């Protein structure tokens, strides 16, 4: 529409969808190229309402830690400690609302999606080092090519950096494109995030996709991860099956199924989990955008959880009229988290 010049919207990866940030009824904030010497918490502290690392008392949605995801796969334990030291990624996508209908119960208080560096046609290799007061120093290397992208950093901070302990962190993530044709894609990736004296997050996944010329795709995504934080450990093996229909960005529909098996420690307990989900998006001639997401999560350790998300946005010249509603469930407290907004914007 020539009367509405492009305003530099970002592309956001939802479960099986890619849409312009500016068109989505639910606002998603993008932190591109986050500083390599920040943890996730260091980037979130500039966002109004998010967790304050100084520990001030808060109420409301962000009094609980958000879910942390790598390529859509959730960290399976509490994320409060993880926020302070893990950081690796080309961008952080901040979901500042109950995003459980997209990402599951751990996103009931919002979510942060870590996106690794993507592959590119021409090879590049970037190296950076940094230093500061109180013994802070570190380095980062980012290699990107057609087949492989891999980035890693190391950081050392002072003895009082986190909880009075020494802080030596290593973060490595990678993405591989094994096969890419008009009809088939085969990818894989991994994450190694290690606080050398304590916690860790190791994750590996693969993705096999069938692509159809009539706007459809089907993806099978198995994964395995092992983690430790706050004296707890967990191992999880699971898989996703995603069907995606995209009619040139005018209408999109996603159906997702997932199952996983978890083992928790130090006292070994086992949990089987699963979910069924649908996400839908429509753009009516660029003037009205609409999204709807519904999700059921099942677990052998708890009752079924229902989450939903619905929003609408109407553009009228320089004005935007919007309304949205989201609901999730805090699994730690078995309490609903709900948020509703209605308003007018002018630009």
């Amino acid at each position: 529409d020539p009367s509405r010049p492009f305003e530099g919207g970002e592309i956001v990866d939802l479960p099986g969808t890619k849409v312009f940030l500016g068109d989505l009824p639910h606002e998603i904030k993008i932190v591109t190229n986050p500083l390599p010497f920040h943890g996730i918490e260091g980037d979130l502290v500039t966002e109004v309402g998010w967790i304050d690392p100084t520990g001030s008392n808060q109420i409301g949605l962000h009094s609980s830690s958000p879910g942390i995801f790598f390529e859509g796969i959730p960290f399976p334990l509490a994320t409060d400690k993880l926020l302070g030291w893990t950081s690796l990624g080309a961008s952080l996508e901040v979901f500042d609302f109950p995003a459980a209908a997209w990402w599951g119960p751990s996103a009931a208080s919002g979510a942060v999606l870590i996106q690794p560096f993507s592959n590119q046609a021409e090879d590049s290799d970037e190296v950076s080092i940094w230093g500061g007061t109180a013994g802070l120093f570190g380095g980062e290397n980012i290699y990107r090519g057609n087949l492989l992208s891999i980035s890693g950093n190391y950081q050392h901070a002072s003895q009082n950096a986190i909880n009075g302990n020494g802080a030596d962190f290593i973060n490595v993530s990678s993405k591989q494109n094994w096969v890419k044709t008009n009809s088939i894609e085969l990818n894989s990736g991994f994450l190694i995030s290690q606080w050398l004296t304590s916690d860790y997050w190791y994750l590996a996944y693969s993705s096999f996709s069938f692509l159809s010329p009539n706007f459809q795709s089907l993806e099978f995504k198995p994964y395995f991860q092992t983690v430790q934080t706050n004296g707890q450990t967990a191992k999880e093996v699971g898989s996703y099956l995603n069907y995606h229909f995209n009619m040139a960005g005018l209408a999109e529909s996603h159906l997702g199924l997932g199952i996983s098996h978890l083992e928790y420690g130090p006292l070994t307990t086992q949990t089987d989990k699963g979910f069924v989900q649908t996400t839908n998006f429509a753009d009516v001639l660029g003037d009205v955008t609409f999204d709807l997401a519904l999700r059921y999560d099942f677990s052998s350790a708890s009752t079924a959880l229902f989450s939903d998300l619905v929003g609408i946005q109407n553009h009228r010249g320089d004005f935007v009229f919007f309304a949205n509603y989201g609901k999730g469930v805090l699994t730690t407290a078995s309490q609903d988290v709900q948020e509703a907004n209605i308003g007018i914007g002018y630009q």
Side-chain angles (χ1 to χ4, degrees):
D1 182 355
S3 67
R4 294 176 56 211
F6 177 65
E7 298 174 351
E10 298 278 356
I11 295 293
V12 176
D13 288 334
L14 300 179
T17 68
K18 291 187 174 73
V19 295
F20 284 103
L21 173 64
D23 289 343
L24 196 68
H26 291 86
E27 181 185 8
I28 300 171
K29 300 177 182 177
I30 309 296
V31 181
T32 56
N33 297 315
L35 295 173
F37 45 84
H38 273 182
I40 294 175
E41 196 170 56
D43 292 300
L44 289 184
V45 74
T46 60
E47 303 292 338
V48 174
W50 283 87
I51 292 172
D52 183 351
T54 61
S56 61
N57 293 327
Q58 300 180 77
I59 60 174
L61 179 64
H62 297 132
S63 60
S64 299
S65 298
I68 307 297
F69 299 76
F70 179 79
E71 284 283 13
I73 300 169
F75 186 79
L77 297 175
T79 63
D80 54 337
K81 203 172 180 182
L82 183 72
L83 291 170
W85 60 271
T86 194
S87 62
L88 193 63
S91 68
L92 301 177
E93 299 178 2
V94 181
F95 297 72
D96 191 15
F97 50 85
W102 284 343
W103 298 110
S106 64
S109 292
V112 177
L113 177 63
I114 302 174
Q115 293 286 64
F117 288 90
S118 60
N119 302 81
Q120 60 185 23
E122 296 184 1
D123 291 356
S124 67
D125 198 10
E126 303 174 13
V127 178
S128 60
I129 59 174
W130 58 84
T133 59
L136 172 69
F137 64 86
E140 181 178 63
N141 181 241
I142 302 169
Y143 169 79
R144 300 174 69 187
N146 184 52
L147 174 65
L148 170 72
S149 72
I150 185 168
S151 56
N153 69 32
Y154 165 78
Q155 179 169 316
H156 173 81
S158 68
Q159 189 71 12
N160 296 320
I162 295 181
N163 298 331
N165 297 320
D168 290 277
F169 312 128
I170 294 176
N171 291 286
V172 181
S173 69
S174 179
K175 201 170 189 178
Q176 299 84 37
N177 286 339
W178 301 111
V179 178
K180 188 172 184 178
T181 69
N182 290 333
S183 57
I184 293 176
E185 287 187 7
L186 176 61
N187 305 308
S188 65
F190 67 83
L191 170 71
I192 298 173
S193 193
Q194 174 77 61
W195 180 0
L196 292 184
T197 59
S198 183
D199 300 343
Y200 57 82
W201 185 10
Y202 306 145
L203 184 152
Y205 74 90
S206 59
S207 173
F208 187 73
S209 299
F210 295 95
L211 310 176
S212 170
N214 59 350
F215 314 117
Q216 300 178 82
S217 66
L218 184 68
E219 178 194 31
F220 175 62
K221 187 174 186 178
Y223 65 91
F224 171 77
Q225 62 178 329
T226 177
V227 306
Q228 174 179 294
T229 187
N230 291 323
Q232 286 187 297
T233 61
K235 294 181 180 180
E236 181 180 24
V237 58
S239 62
Y240 297 152
L241 184 65
N242 294 305
Y243 166 78
H244 180 211
F245 172 80
N246 181 3
M247 192 173 68
L250 299 177
E252 296 190 50
S253 183
H254 162 259
L255 178 63
L257 305 172
I259 58 171
S260 68
H261 174 77
L262 290 95
E263 294 184 359
Y264 297 98
L267 297 176
T268 302
T269 58
Q270 301 184 18
T271 301
D272 294 310
K273 299 169 63 177
F275 71 84
V276 58
Q277 171 198 57
T278 181
T279 307
N280 306 277
F281 174 82
D283 185 339
V284 183
L285 302 178
D287 291 326
V288 178
T289 53
F290 171 81
D291 65 6
L292 170 68
L294 305 171
R295 174 165 170 150
Y296 274 99
D297 284 87
F298 309 93
S299 170
S300 61
S302 64
T303 58
L305 304 177
F306 172 71
S307 306
D308 62 79
L309 199 68
V310 59
I312 189 169
Q313 193 166 256
N314 179 218
H315 294 265
R316 293 294 178 187
D318 295 332
F319 289 90
V320 178
F321 301 86
F322 61 90
N324 56 61
Y325 169 79
K327 172 194 173 294
V329 182
L330 285 176
T331 55
T332 54
S334 298
Q335 291 181 327
D336 284 352
V337 176
Q338 301 181 73
E339 182 179 80
N341 296 287
I342 185 169
I344 303 172
Y346 173 79
Q347 184 171 359

